Amino acid sequence: MAKQLPWIITFLIFGILFSNCVKKVPLPPWISKISMLQTPIGPEKIFRLPEGDQITFKELLKGLQATRVIFVGESHDQIEHHRIQARLLQDLIAEGKEVGIAMEMFARSQQSILDQWVQGFLTEEEFLKEVQWETTWGIDYGLYRDILDKARTHQIKVLGLNVQRELVRRVAQNGIKKLSSEDKRELPEMDLTDQRHRAYIKFIYKNHQGGAAEDFENFYMAQSLWDESMAETLSDYLKSSDGKGKTLLVFTGSGHVVFGLGIPNRFYRRTSIPYQTIVLKAWEEKLDEDFPFTEISSPFANFLWITQPNSPDKRRPSIGVVLKQREDQKGLWIERVIPDSPAEKAGLLSGDQLILVEGKEIVKVKDIHDAVVQKGLGNNINFTLLREGVKKEIWITLPPLIE
């Protein structure tokens, strides 16, 4: 099975970083306070860590007042998380701050497209086509629309953070030593000696082994490259004339933010600019069991905001695959089948070429998204695929409305 970078992205997207504790140690006191929360969750369940004191949004803004760089760790598919990000952006603008946004959702190579969007030179349709949204990110754009519309309205810089995927994939497969001289020149300054970060990534790797890397060392190098590259982009921007004096909101997956180990500490190493972190976490039953990794003494974040999870009627049906498009060839290829997903249960495999959905030709990822949404949760959907040149028909059962 091909081992690809999108697997790393996938487990971050679906928020499975905090499960199956491997070591029983005393939990921080704030976890007991969080665990007492019951649904429905109010709009401002914000906790200052490590004390665990609950605060208001107004108090949060006051706590961020003197902070130039604010990391906001999201779960990508959660509606409330993006509403909160837009709210933070709007309030910082209202305070008269000169704000910039840095987003993991876009690559550094797409910066000129982002600038054209902010300047009003592209329609939304043109913008999404230019950044290849469906194949490079794939999460419902509607979740991010308010943020990007505000950036356009207020002429706010949107900084693309993500690294060249092919480079990370090559590191994940073969490590750094086997890179070509040309690839090595593309590497940022990297620190592979942080034992706290290594312990955290090993915790993830043990629970999700078998996807993106030949072994843990390659996996760790790839993860570090990902974080270091985004930290480097942030650092370069804030050192530039364009970034001078700006307050920067950094929107990225929470796995890049927790404990400050991913992007934040690597950013600080380069700049010595103080930062604060906010982690957004959707409520679920037994919430205290979702924060098991306690081998690091530093706070989980400066602020933890527990949000109301997506309601069942707002859930976007998904078959559970990472897809890739190939030039001049019909259909879409499966790069990765997500464990325990409807696709895996139906028998889809990495390398399958999806050519029809419900009898209609598949040209782009949106064709699958639209068909799945039209079918709805709990229903069966039909795919025609090619596997090693042989045409097959497979039915996938979408997850039920209530699981």
Side-chain angles (χ1 to χ4, degrees):
M1 182 182 292
K3 300 179 178 180
Q4 302 286 348
L5 166 67
W7 178 77
I8 309 177
I9 297 173
T10 299
F11 73 67
L12 289 171
I13 288 176
F14 289 93
I16 54 179
L17 297 181
F18 314 116
S19 58
N20 303 321
C21 183
V22 296
K23 183 177 179 181
K24 293 292 183 181
V25 295
L27 296 175
W30 61 266
I31 291 184
S32 63
K33 297 181 182 181
I34 302 296
S35 67
M36 292 187 290
L37 289 177
Q38 298 295 320
T39 189
I41 298 298
E44 293 187 5
K45 293 298 181 183
I46 310 167
F47 297 84
R48 180 186 285 113
L49 304 185
E51 301 87 356
D53 298 332
Q54 188 170 339
I55 61 174
T56 65
F57 181 70
K58 186 176 181 180
E59 290 171 321
L60 171 65
L61 287 178
K62 186 177 180 180
L64 297 172
Q65 186 67 37
T67 306
R68 191 177 172 197
V69 181
I70 304 163
F71 291 90
V72 185
E74 65 177 54
S75 295
H76 302 309
D77 63 343
Q78 288 295 313
I79 296 170
E80 281 302 314
H81 293 191
H82 303 295
R83 288 176 178 167
I84 288 168
Q85 291 168 337
R87 185 180 176 188
L88 283 166
L89 176 59
Q90 187 63 53
D91 280 78
L92 290 176
I93 294 169
E95 288 181 2
K97 291 185 179 295
E98 191 176 359
V99 186
I101 312 168
M103 300 183 70
E104 178 197 0
M105 302 79 214
F106 301 103
R108 295 185 295 192
S109 59
Q110 296 172 328
Q111 191 57 56
S112 63
I113 303 169
L114 292 168
D115 292 342
Q116 290 178 62
W117 165 257
V118 169
Q119 293 162 15
F121 296 147
L122 298 173
T123 66
E124 182 179 288
E125 184 179 357
E126 290 169 337
F127 172 62
L128 295 179
K129 182 179 179 180
E130 288 293 322
V131 297
Q132 300 178 324
W133 179 267
E134 290 293 346
T135 53
T136 59
W137 193 247
I139 303 296
D140 181 7
Y141 179 74
L143 298 176
Y144 296 89
R145 180 176 284 114
D146 194 20
I147 295 167
L148 288 158
D149 283 352
K150 286 184 191 304
R152 186 183 180 102
T153 299
H154 296 280
Q155 294 286 286
I156 292 170
K157 179 75 173 186
V158 179
L159 186 68
L161 285 182
N162 225 323
V163 66
Q164 180 189 345
R165 287 189 178 190
E166 279 300 304
L167 180 59
V168 180
R169 181 186 62 80
R170 288 194 285 271
V171 171
Q173 288 184 329
N174 302 309
I176 290 175
K177 288 184 178 180
K178 293 184 179 180
L179 291 177
S180 67
S181 298
E182 183 179 355
D183 280 343
K184 286 179 180 178
R185 285 194 293 271
E186 296 296 317
L187 295 176
E189 174 198 333
M190 292 182 60
D191 178 10
L192 301 175
T193 65
D194 187 332
Q195 295 305 310
R196 299 176 307 154
H197 186 247
R198 181 176 286 270
Y200 178 61
I201 299 301
K202 184 170 287 187
F203 168 74
I204 297 169
Y205 180 76
K206 284 182 178 178
N207 288 306
H208 307 287
Q209 195 169 4
E214 290 278 334
D215 51 39
F216 172 71
E217 287 305 316
N218 289 352
F219 181 90
Y220 182 66
M221 288 179 197
Q223 184 69 37
S224 297
L225 169 58
W226 198 5
D227 289 332
E228 292 281 17
S229 295
M230 290 195 278
E232 180 182 70
T233 304
L234 288 172
S235 172
D236 290 347
Y237 177 69
L238 286 177
K239 290 176 181 177
S240 72
S241 57
D242 189 29
K244 187 177 180 180
K246 278 192 171 68
T247 296
L248 205 59
L249 282 168
V250 184
F251 297 153
T252 184
S254 58
H256 294 292
V257 174
V258 291
F259 303 109
L261 295 175
I263 307 170
N265 285 359
R266 296 166 191 272
F267 163 77
Y268 185 78
R269 187 183 82 232
R270 290 172 164 84
T271 64
S272 298
I273 297 175
Y275 64 82
Q276 293 204 71
T277 58
I278 305 169
V279 169
L280 309 174
K281 174 74 178 98
W283 180 90
E284 58 187 348
E285 291 188 35
K286 299 182 180 179
L287 192 59
D288 57 326
E289 295 181 4
D290 212 25
F291 301 95
F293 187 78
T294 57
E295 296 178 31
I296 298 173
S297 59
S298 58
F300 183 76
N302 296 110
F303 303 96
L304 175 64
W305 192 327
I306 305 298
T307 66
Q308 186 72 30
N310 293 346
S311 60
D313 62 309
K314 296 295 184 183
R315 288 172 54 193
R316 188 182 189 188
S318 171
I319 64 173
V321 291
V322 177
L323 297 166
K324 184 175 183 178
Q325 201 161 12
R326 296 181 182 176
E327 291 184 7
D328 302 323
Q329 295 191 48
K330 292 183 179 180
L332 297 170
W333 274 257
I334 296 177
E335 281 201 341
R336 172 72 177 168
V337 179
I338 297 165
D340 299 320
S341 67
E344 184 184 64
K345 293 173 184 176
L348 287 177
L349 300 174
S350 175
D352 285 347
Q353 180 186 356
L354 303 180
I355 55 175
L356 301 175
V357 57
E358 293 291 296
K360 296 180 180 178
E361 184 181 3
I362 297 170
V363 178
K364 52 192 175 184
V365 176
K366 191 175 184 295
D367 296 335
I368 297 177
H369 286 171
D370 290 347
V372 168
V373 169
Q374 186 175 356
K375 272 293 178 178
L377 294 164
N379 295 310
N380 295 325
I381 187 167
N382 176 260
F383 283 89
T384 303
L385 59 87
L386 290 176
R387 181 180 295 166
E388 297 180 349
V390 178
K391 186 178 288 188
K392 296 177 65 71
E393 196 169 301
I394 285 184
W395 287 88
I396 298 177
T397 302
L398 298 172
L401 187 64
I402 300 176
E403 294 184 287

